[in-house]
Amino acid sequence: MPRDATSTRERLLRAGEHLFARKGVDGALTREIVTLAGQANDSAVHYHFGSRRGLLGAIVDRHMRRMEEQRKPALDALQTRGASEVADLGAVLAAVVEPMTAELTDQSGRDFLRIVAQLAGESGARTGEVPHPLAGTALAGQLDLLHTRCRDHLAEPVARERIAIAIVMLTAALADRAHRLDEHLPVLLGHPAFVTNLTTMLTAALLAPA
């Protein structure tokens, strides 16, 4: 791809991140994205991404790829532990949570977290069907392992419902944290304490008696 096309694509990605995060994946208009990216032609999004939804998918894909570098070795380590011990659920959940909390450290990542909270209902946790872009990823493997650990003490429907709710809780908490950091609003915990507290709370929710 020529350099100018690559630059245009990157500007559209950043403009999409910014506006989808703040105006919503259904509220941000294509012409607003194009204008923010410094483009004169409203067809730029369609040229580079096929559609507005294609732009959203490209944003999610690139952050998923970024997190995969951390998820793959973590998944390998979890799969070698064996493990029907209850504590393993906490370890699996930590492996799910930590790469996402790392996205809080830059603006692009914070925008992504504010976007992904809007998509939490599309995780496939309730149906067991893995959606794109999760298919074939280490995150999909981690979520499958989390389901297995939950099934150690919960019936299938309860396990799936709890994981679905946990995903909503996780993404909402991260989106709120991202918003507070962006707007320079007070936060009560530093980053390490926030990550530990969030993981502990979600683990407790998944381990609660049926």
Side-chain angles (χ1 to χ4, degrees):
M1 184 179 294
R3 176 180 290 183
D4 58 342
T6 302
S7 176
T8 298
R9 180 182 172 87
E10 179 60 28
R11 288 197 298 271
L12 288 167
L13 284 166
R14 280 299 299 128
E17 285 176 344
H18 181 87
L19 290 171
F20 286 143
R22 287 156 183 80
K23 294 197 170 185
V25 297
D26 296 318
L29 301 178
T30 300
R31 66 174 175 270
E32 292 177 317
I33 295 169
V34 169
T35 299
L36 185 59
Q39 301 301 301
N41 193 336
D42 283 358
S43 66
V45 168
H46 294 275
Y47 175 80
H48 288 278
F49 302 101
S51 66
R52 186 173 164 284
R53 190 74 183 183
L55 171 60
L56 177 62
I59 291 168
V60 173
D61 281 344
R62 80 167 178 173
H63 286 275
M64 290 288 293
R65 289 196 302 271
R66 183 160 83 166
M67 289 186 288
E68 282 290 283
E69 295 179 8
Q70 186 175 348
R71 292 194 186 283
K72 287 177 180 177
L75 179 61
D76 290 342
L78 288 167
Q79 289 174 331
T80 61
R81 292 181 63 170
S84 58
E85 302 167 6
V86 171
D88 281 341
L89 188 148
V92 175
L93 192 54
V96 171
V97 170
E98 288 171 9
M100 294 188 71
T101 59
E103 294 288 298
L104 289 164
T105 58
D106 64 51
Q107 185 62 68
S108 177
R110 290 192 295 274
D111 286 345
F112 166 71
L113 293 173
R114 294 172 71 172
I115 292 167
V116 83
Q118 303 171 57
L119 306 175
E122 301 177 20
S123 69
R126 286 186 174 89
T127 63
E129 297 176 2
V130 180
H132 176 79
L134 268 64
T137 64
L139 175 57
Q142 290 174 338
L143 291 174
D144 185 62
L145 193 53
L146 185 64
H147 173 255
T148 299
R149 294 279 66 84
C150 284
R151 287 288 286 111
D152 289 341
H153 64 286
L154 296 170
E156 174 73 7
V158 178
R160 290 205 174 277
E161 181 69 11
R162 284 201 186 177
I163 292 171
I165 292 172
I167 290 170
V168 172
M169 292 169 62
L170 168 62
T171 56
L174 291 174
D176 176 70
R177 178 83 169 187
H179 168 73
R180 298 188 75 79
L181 291 172
D182 285 341
E183 300 301 323
H184 306 289
L185 298 172
V187 294
L188 296 177
L189 301 175
H191 183 79
F194 170 78
V195 176
T196 299
N197 187 59
L198 179 58
T199 304
T200 301
M201 287 177 61
L202 292 171
T203 302
L206 292 176
L207 286 174

